């Protein structure tokens, strides 16, 4: 409004300058002064009330033409309202400004050049002091400034709408970026939790079993207690090495290629030997044609077997026996881990259990899902628990 008020002050100054059109005063002089006062006032609030001001200015202009009040210097404000209607008004206001702009030339020309009637002996006829072509050209030239101002207003509206759309799009992209960042952070946290669970849970469970066994046979069989303590020490060192590797990767900026080598199918015999040392009887068998697998599939197989055997030690009960089978097919790799223990509860099947905040079976499902595989978990016929994962592979050549 400050800028509009400055322009309105200039229009007011021009409108109140002495004008020779009405030297004798009269009502036309008063009407001209009224127009010179009203138009600047409308200009001040034209952006806040575009529809009202454009309609008022249009009515004032039509009244000025009908009353025969010739346009003065303040009539330049009508160009501003043609722009205002197109730039800020509603649809009907924009159309009103366009019609008024198109009509301005013919109306003003009709006011300034009225038709003349001349009487002759032969009768009455109407003569004009202009020809039709010249009149049309003059009307067009008079309407052109209004049409240009209206077109400028439309361009301003379109540009403003375009800039608004760009701002909305930028804000939307920023929100999407923040949402994606939050999703990435959550996924990374889940991955870290899954890795820590896989690394720690297995080794710690082995250490707990060995520590309980060492405490039980400490008095009667010191040699067995010594062996158990040695197993605890080696298992703890292995867990520490894996945790250091994991944490070291997390502290490194470029970690995508450094998080290798990871354990795979070839390390399964070492894992099973470690489990047997902890007191769990495990049978291991492979079938098909073993071959090199993608690193993601290798790690998935190892972690599934590791987590499954950890669950067997935790929930299988005493004297449990487990079996691990890996079948290398042409287009898929099947991993089977089953036991004859006490099985699992409904809670563990539904949510992964309360142990470790439920990262056991949930972690298996996530790992299998990452390689587009399928996982089947549930009670085993005849007692016990059964886990079977099928991971897709490329056909062997």
């Amino acid at each position: 409004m400050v800028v509009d008020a400055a322009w309105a002050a200039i229009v007011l100054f021009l409108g109140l300058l002495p004008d020779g059109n009405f030297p004798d005063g009269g009502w036309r002089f008063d009407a001209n002064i009224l127009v010179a006062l009203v138009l600047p006032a409308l200009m001040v609030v034209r952006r806040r009330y575009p529809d009202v001001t454009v309609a008022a200015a249009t009515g004032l202009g039509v009244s000025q033409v009908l009353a025969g009040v010739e346009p003065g210097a303040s009539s330049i404000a009508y160009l501003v309202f043609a722009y205002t209607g197109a730039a800020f008004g509603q649809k009907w206001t924009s159309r009103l400004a366009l019609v008024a702009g198109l009509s301005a030339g013919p109306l003003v020309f009709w006011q300034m050049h009225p038709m003349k009637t001349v009487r002759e002996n032969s009768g009455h006829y109407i003569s004009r002091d202009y020809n039709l072509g010249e009149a049309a050209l003059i009307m067009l030239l008079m309407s052109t400034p209004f049409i240009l101002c209206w077109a400028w207003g439309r361009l301003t509206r379109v540009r403003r709408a375009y800039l608004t759309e760009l701002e909305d799009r930028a804000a939307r992209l920023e929100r999407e970026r923040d949402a994606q960042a939050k999703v990435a952070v959550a996924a990374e946290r889940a991955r870290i939790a899954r890795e820590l669970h896989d690394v720690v849970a297995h080794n710690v469970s082995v250490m707990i079993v060995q520590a309980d066994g060492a405490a039980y046979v400490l008095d009667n069989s010191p040699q067995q207690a010594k062996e158990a303590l040695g197993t605890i020490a080696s298992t703890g060192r292995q867990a520490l090495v894996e945790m250091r590797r994991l944490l070291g990767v997390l502290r490194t900026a470029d970690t995508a290629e450094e998080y290798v080598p990871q354990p795979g199918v070839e390390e399964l015999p070492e894992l099973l030997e470690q489990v047997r040392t902890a007191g769990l009887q495990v049978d291991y068998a492979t079938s098909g044609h073993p071959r090199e697998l993608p690193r993601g599939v290798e790690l998935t197989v190892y972690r599934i077997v590791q987590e499954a055997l950890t669950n067997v030690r935790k929930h299988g009960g005493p004297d449990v026996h487990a079996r691990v089978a890996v079948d290398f097919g042409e287009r898929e790799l099947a991993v089977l881990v089953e036991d004859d223990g006490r099985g699992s509860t409904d809670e563990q099947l539904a949510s992964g259990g309360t142990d470790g905040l439920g990262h056991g079976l949930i972690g298996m499902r996530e790992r299998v899902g990452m390689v587009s595989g399928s996982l089947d978990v549930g009670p085993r016929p005849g007692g016990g628990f059964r886990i079977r994962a099928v991971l897709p592979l490329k056909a062997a050549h």
Side-chain angles (χ1 to χ4, degrees), residues 166-326:
L166 288 182
E167 292 176 357
D168 293 342
R169 181 181 179 185
R172 185 171 61 254
L173 291 176
E174 185 175 358
R175 290 193 299 269
E176 292 177 356
R177 182 194 62 189
D178 295 340
Q180 291 176 357
K182 291 180 180 179
V183 171
V185 170
E188 183 66 13
R189 288 179 177 177
R191 186 187 70 83
I192 294 172
R194 185 170 61 247
E195 291 295 333
L196 287 175
H197 178 274
D198 292 340
V199 169
V200 175
H202 169 74
N203 293 294
V204 171
S205 63
V206 172
M207 294 168 64
I208 292 174
V209 171
Q210 293 293 327
D212 291 340
Y216 181 77
V217 301
L218 180 61
D219 296 331
N220 299 327
S221 181
Q223 183 61 31
Q224 291 185 5
K226 183 178 180 181
E227 293 177 358
L229 293 175
T231 302
I232 292 174
S234 61
T235 304
R237 292 190 187 95
Q238 181 180 356
L240 185 60
V241 169
E242 293 187 9
M243 289 185 61
R244 283 176 176 173
R245 180 178 61 184
L246 176 61
L247 296 177
V249 168
L250 295 177
R251 296 191 188 101
T252 306
D254 301 326
T255 62
E257 299 298 331
E258 294 183 5
Y259 195 46
V260 292
Q262 290 284 9
V265 179
E266 295 180 355
E267 283 74 20
L268 285 180
E270 299 178 5
L271 174 65
L272 299 180
E273 186 61 31
Q274 185 184 38
V275 172
R276 294 190 186 100
T277 304
L280 177 63
Q281 300 180 15
V282 183
D283 294 334
Y284 177 58
T286 60
S287 58
H289 300 283
R291 60 185 183 273
E292 184 178 357
L293 303 175
R295 280 198 292 262
V297 175
E298 291 267 1
L299 179 61
T300 299
V301 172
Y302 185 90
R303 293 305 189 195
I304 288 176
V305 175
Q306 184 184 47
E307 177 60 29
L309 295 178
T310 301
N311 290 338
V312 171
R313 286 197 308 271
K314 290 181 179 179
H315 311 293
D319 301 327
V320 63
H321 182 272
R323 185 174 74 92
V324 178
V326 179

Side-chain angles (χ1 to χ4, degrees), residues 63-207:
S63 301
Q64 185 177 352
V65 172
L66 295 178
V69 180
E70 295 187 4
S74 60
S75 297
I76 194 175
Y78 290 119
L79 297 174
V80 177
F81 291 108
Y83 169 85
T84 302
F88 306 107
Q90 299 182 21
K91 184 178 293 185
W92 68 268
T93 307
S94 177
R95 292 176 178 175
L96 176 63
L98 177 60
V99 172
L102 291 172
S103 304
L107 289 176
V108 173
F109 184 82
W110 172 75
Q111 181 194 34
M112 297 178 64
H113 300 275
M115 294 182 296
K116 298 177 181 179
T117 302
V118 180
R119 181 180 178 85
E120 291 186 350
N121 296 330
S122 58
H124 295 276
Y125 70 96
I126 298 176
S127 65
R128 300 179 178 87
D129 57 352
Y130 55 86
N131 59 53
L132 189 60
E134 292 175 347
L137 180 60
I138 294 174
M139 293 178 187
L140 178 62
L141 292 177
M142 286 184 174
S143 296
T144 298
F146 293 93
I147 303 306
L148 291 178
C149 290
W150 184 88
W152 185 16
R154 290 295 300 176
L155 180 62
T156 302
R157 178 189 289 270
V158 172
R159 184 174 180 273
R160 187 170 63 249
Y162 176 70
L163 294 178
T164 302
E165 177 64 23
L166 288 182
E167 292 176 357
D168 293 342
R169 181 181 179 185
R172 185 171 61 254
L173 291 176
E174 185 175 358
R175 290 193 299 269
E176 292 177 356
R177 182 194 62 189
D178 295 340
Q180 291 176 357
K182 291 180 180 179
V183 171
V185 170
E188 183 66 13
R189 288 179 177 177
R191 186 187 70 83
I192 294 172
R194 185 170 61 247
E195 291 295 333
L196 287 175
H197 178 274
D198 292 340
V199 169
V200 175
H202 169 74
N203 293 294
V204 171
S205 63
V206 172
M207 294 168 64

